[in-house]
Amino acid sequence: MRLSALFPLACAIVAFVLSMLCLFAGHKPGFMEEYHIVTLNTSTLGHNILSTATTSSGPTPTATSIGSFFSSIAHNVSSTIEGDINGIIGDVADKLAKELGIKQWYSLHLMDLCEGTFTPNATEKGASLNVSTCSNQTAMYHFDISKQLNKELEIGPLHINLSTISWPSEIQDGLNALNTALDATFVLYAIGIAAAGCAILASLVAFFLHGSRLISFGNWGLATISFLSLLIASIIITVIQSKATNLINKYGNEIGVYAYKGQKYLILTWVAVAVMFLAMLAWVAEFCVGKRNRGREYTEKSSRHGWGRSRKSDEAALRRSGV
Ligand SMILES: *[C@@H]1O[C@H](CO)[C@@H](O)[C@H](O)[C@H]1NC(C)=O
Ligand SMILES: *[C@@H]1O[C@H](CO)[C@@H](O)[C@H](O)[C@H]1NC(C)=O
Ligand SMILES: *[C@@H]1O[C@H](CO)[C@@H](O)[C@H](O)[C@H]1NC(C)=O
Ligand SMILES: *[C@@H]1O[C@H](CO)[C@@H](O)[C@H](O)[C@H]1NC(C)=O
Ligand SMILES: *[C@@H]1O[C@H](CO)[C@@H](O)[C@H](O)[C@H]1NC(C)=O
Ligand SMILES: *[C@@H]1O[C@H](CO)[C@@H](O)[C@H](O)[C@H]1NC(C)=O
């Protein structure tokens, strides 16, 4: 029994569980929805077609067919909502999405996309997320928010599409460029999880079979593979999150889409990295102690007794402190 193997064992278990959660958060409705990578607030999406109604409510400025089509939609939207068009941030914000046939928020998870409404309402600060549905989970999910929105707009009550609300194509173009990186994170998480799983087994071996340096070395190797995979995955996720929100906010705010970073997901993934880092350090220490033990065996044979004992006691102190 090697008690000092318990600390890296515990770390490996925690890292394993946390990185599993990174992979599976939000894979079905209501399961850790808060742990999304990015979420989009679409509760005011399309408010620009309402604005068209206010500006063209007098004698129609542009009498083109497109122009009248727009104002006809706008008229329908605004008359149904019966809201104060200037007070977009009010009752309208909570009803606009429903009028268009879309949801109030969309969230990206590693394996799917979830959508739903805000509870109690979209304008309430810190409203919670009420999940309606999630897409089917797939191993390498591609975040295609434009397709999803277009589909919902087309079957929605107004039967419009993304071009009607002047959805900028830059958003999806930018997201497509990030999707390859998302695929990579999926693979990295899978490697990180597999290595953490093996590290758990190897730590158990180290716990029951006393003292081989080879076992310490193998454990260190597994912890390092897991740590590096999770580290790179977390870096990529952090970058993707920031790029995607900047991109969506840059082109989308004008038409009423807002993107937020999923802070809780970041915490989850970085804690997994940190814990695996501790496991890796613990095995380095273990390996060094093992090396010194072996050194001590040689010196004990040739040198005086008291020296060996003092070494032994400071090693015991190290073990007690959990290294
Ligand atoms: C607006 O409503 C009218 C009648 O309610 C309907 O005939 C017209 O097609 C609607 N326009 C659009 C763009 O949905
Ligand atoms: C949203 O909900 C809060 C709390 O229930 C309420 O005070 C507020 O008036 C609601 N806003 C709208 C626009 O319904
Ligand atoms: C969604 O966006 C609208 C428009 O910016 C904002 O008024 C509302 O508070 C947001 N809702 C949530 C829950 O963040
Ligand atoms: C979530 O939304 C559904 C309908 O969209 C509603 O019936 C349900 O009450 C909502 N849940 C909460 C907690 O508000
Ligand atoms: C999701 O999975 C269900 C059952 O496996 C299937 O019936 C449905 O068509 C799938 N939906 C999509 C969009 O692939
Ligand atoms: C969107 O709707 C407009 C008007 O109905 C139509 O002209 C256009 O082709 C549609 N675009 C797409 C991509 O379906």
Side-chain angles (χ1 to χ4, degrees), residues 102-118:
I102 60 173
K103 295 293 186 292
Q104 290 180 335
W105 57 263
Y106 294 80
S107 65
L108 167 68
H109 298 282
L110 207 58
M111 295 205 282
D112 64 352
L113 171 91
C114 290
E115 56 187 58
T117 53
F118 289 113

Side-chain angles (χ1 to χ4, degrees), residues 5-7 11 13 39-40 49 61 72 88 104 149 195 293 302 314:
L6 285 181
F7 176 70
C11 289
I13 292 175
T39 180
L40 268 62
I49 60 176
S72 142
I88 299 284
Q104 290 180 335
L149 281 174
N293 278 352
S302 56
D314 69 31

Side-chain angles (χ1 to χ4, degrees), residues 202-316:
S203 303
L204 285 173
V205 170
F207 178 67
F208 289 112
L209 301 180
H210 194 283
S212 156
R213 284 179 66 207
L214 188 64
I215 293 178
S216 293
F217 184 74
N219 263 296
W220 171 80
L222 287 170
T224 305
I225 293 172
S226 180
F227 164 69
L228 289 178
S229 315
L230 295 178
L231 175 71
I232 299 171
S234 302
I235 292 174
I236 298 178
I237 285 286
T238 308
V239 172
I240 287 184
Q241 208 180 43
S242 146
K243 286 202 167 189
T245 46
N246 287 346
L247 177 81
I248 294 169
N249 285 330
K250 181 175 170 197
Y251 295 104
N253 283 0
E254 206 177 324
I255 57 164
V257 188
Y258 296 83
Y260 314 123
K261 294 177 189 168
Q263 304 291 0
K264 288 189 177 174
Y265 188 91
L266 272 197
I267 294 172
L268 196 64
T269 186
W270 282 106
V271 169
V273 172
V275 168
M276 212 60 216
F277 180 68
L278 290 182
M280 190 182 79
L281 279 192
W283 285 116
V284 172
E286 191 69 15
F287 185 75
C288 294
V289 169
K291 194 171 181 177
R292 210 165 59 172
N293 278 352
R294 181 163 292 190
R296 195 191 63 205
E297 277 161 27
Y298 294 134
T299 48
E300 262 181 359
K301 277 177 197 151
S302 56
S303 79
R304 285 194 358 245
H305 194 85
W307 208 71
R309 181 180 283 165
S310 80
R311 283 239 160 169
K312 201 178 228 165
S313 62
D314 69 31
E315 181 206 322

Side-chain angles (χ1 to χ4, degrees), residues 41 43-44 89 93 118 121-127 258 260:
N41 174 354
S43 63
T44 50
I89 312 302
F118 289 113
N121 57 42
T123 44
E124 181 76 2
K125 262 267 174 287
Y258 296 83
Y260 314 123

